[in-house]
Amino acid sequence: MQPDVSVLIAAFNAEGSIRRAIDSALAQRGVAVEVVVADDCSSDRTVEVAASYPKDRVRVVELDENRGPGGARNVGLAVASGRWVAVLDADDTMHPERLARMIGRAEAAGAEIAVDNLEVVRENGGGEPMFAPEHLEALPRLSLAELIGTSLLFESTFSYGYMKPMFERRFLDAAGLGYDETLRIGEDYIFLASALARGGRCVVEPGTFYRYHLRAGSISRVLDLSHVEAMLRADATFLRLHDLDPEALAAQARRTRSLCQGASFLALVRHLKQRAPLKAAGVALRDPAALRHLRMPIAARLRRLSTAGAD
């Protein structure tokens, strides 16, 4: 029997959290679930832990080389057999009602994509919704312009790019969608943006059913200049491949501007740390906005950067 949902878990050295993630996927109520774990060449016991589950419930695929989260997700997509596909990070969890609620809302609306709110779970155990519930209650559908418009550096702590969508598999196949393997941060954002740009309709389940576990040292919490440069290249490819409406184009212009300013600021900080004042001055002359960002202490600004541009 075909599963209702394939839950894709891209894993890399996740032995400490992978069992928690798998258990939450298998605990889903009201839907038939298969879990696909795509291991991205872990050096710890991630594969051993995932392989300890019954093979008819949890499929483990081991990559031959490290391809990053996008590559691991693509491998998982290739073997997934569910009518719907849901992404779950290896250090996150889901509420038991999540997938049934999202499928119900999507199918009632004739939509191919569904998103929900996230609970930000901190290391001390405290948690809070990522987005104000009343805001999502007033947002029955997520548009491309709204997704792009929130995905700006320096503007807010979280963006809609953090959402973990569920996709109808038939739509993904028809649209020919795959994850960008050049990105180590932002691969989920560009995948969702591409799905929306290719006509996908996305409903919003306002309930807080995805648990986003903050973990010190996670790559999604540490933003490097190379990550921003990769996002700029991915956005340029996205613009070449899709025709955007005026509202989405205006939002993209703001996003591009914020990414360029973020890249300038990170380059400036790098030169200052390397005690290269002439190079720092060159960056400041090319993009004076980088100097304005220095009004906030560097450490605080970097903390905001590390949370503003990830998926």
Side-chain angles (χ1 to χ4, degrees):
M1 180 183 297
Q2 183 183 24
D4 294 311
V5 188
S6 296
V7 178
L8 304 186
I9 302 177
F12 176 72
N13 289 347
E15 66 172 319
S17 62
I18 189 72
R19 186 176 299 280
R20 181 182 66 191
I22 293 173
D23 287 346
S24 78
L26 294 178
Q28 294 298 297
R29 299 172 187 151
V31 291
V33 170
E34 72 165 357
V35 177
V36 178
V37 177
D39 183 75
D40 199 18
C41 295
S42 295
S43 59
D44 63 1
R45 297 178 58 256
T46 298
V47 170
E48 182 181 341
V49 173
S52 68
Y53 289 83
K55 290 181 172 53
D56 62 336
R57 302 292 311 281
V58 179
R59 302 177 65 180
V60 181
V61 185
E62 298 182 62
L63 277 67
D64 294 330
E65 60 180 349
N66 183 275
R67 290 168 54 180
R73 282 175 171 72
N74 283 335
V75 170
L77 271 176
V79 303
S81 61
R83 293 189 302 112
W84 291 84
V85 176
V87 171
L88 176 63
D89 284 352
D91 49 3
D92 292 340
T93 55
M94 297 187 292
H95 188 280
E97 307 292 335
R98 179 178 189 251
L99 297 182
R101 291 283 293 268
M102 294 176 75
I103 288 178
R105 187 171 288 268
E107 292 184 340
E112 299 84 10
I113 311 167
V115 295
D116 61 346
N117 206 347
L118 301 86
E119 179 185 5
V120 181
V121 182
R122 306 191 183 280
E123 289 188 305
N124 63 7
E128 60 187 6
M130 183 175 288
F131 307 105
E134 60 272 17
H135 178 74
L136 294 189
E137 288 278 1
L139 186 71
R141 291 201 177 186
L142 178 66
S143 71
L144 178 59
E146 287 162 334
L147 172 65
I148 299 173
T150 68
S151 302
L152 311 175
L153 292 183
F154 303 117
E155 296 294 329
S156 61
T157 301
F158 296 112
S159 77
Y160 291 152
Y162 275 89
M163 288 175 162
K164 297 297 181 182
M166 184 176 65
F167 300 91
E168 186 182 36
R169 179 56 188 263
R170 182 173 54 185
F171 167 75
L172 293 181
D173 291 342
L177 286 169
Y179 283 88
D180 188 330
E181 300 190 18
T182 68
L183 293 171
R184 294 298 172 121
I185 286 182
E187 74 285 346
D188 285 331
Y189 161 80
I190 205 72
F191 188 83
L192 177 56
S194 299
L196 293 172
R198 297 184 194 189
R201 293 163 293 183
C202 181
V203 294
V204 178
E205 164 55 59
T208 306
F209 297 121
Y210 188 98
R211 297 187 179 115
Y212 175 76
H213 293 258
L214 290 181
R215 178 171 56 88
S218 169
I219 188 171
S220 66
R221 308 298 298 169
V222 181
L223 192 63
D224 183 78
L225 176 59
S226 64
H227 298 145
V228 180
E229 291 172 339
M231 285 190 280
L232 281 165
R233 290 191 295 270
D235 278 20
T237 300
F238 170 77
L239 285 170
R240 286 198 302 270
L241 294 177
H242 304 100
D243 293 323
L244 276 58
D245 63 37
E247 188 178 4
L249 276 174
Q252 181 62 50
R254 295 193 301 272
R255 172 175 162 82
T256 300
R257 198 158 52 243
S258 75
L259 289 174
C260 289
Q261 290 176 358
S264 294
F265 173 74
L266 288 170
L268 177 62
V269 170
R270 175 185 292 181
H271 295 321
L272 291 174
K273 287 183 175 180
Q274 294 173 344
R275 300 183 183 280
L278 292 179
K279 291 182 178 179
V283 171
L285 287 172
R286 289 192 298 272
D287 189 354
L291 284 177
R292 291 198 300 271
H293 294 317
L294 283 176
R295 292 174 183 172
M296 180 179 290
I298 289 178
R301 174 59 72 186
L302 287 174
R303 282 197 297 273
R304 286 187 60 185
L305 266 172
S306 73
T307 60
D311 54 81

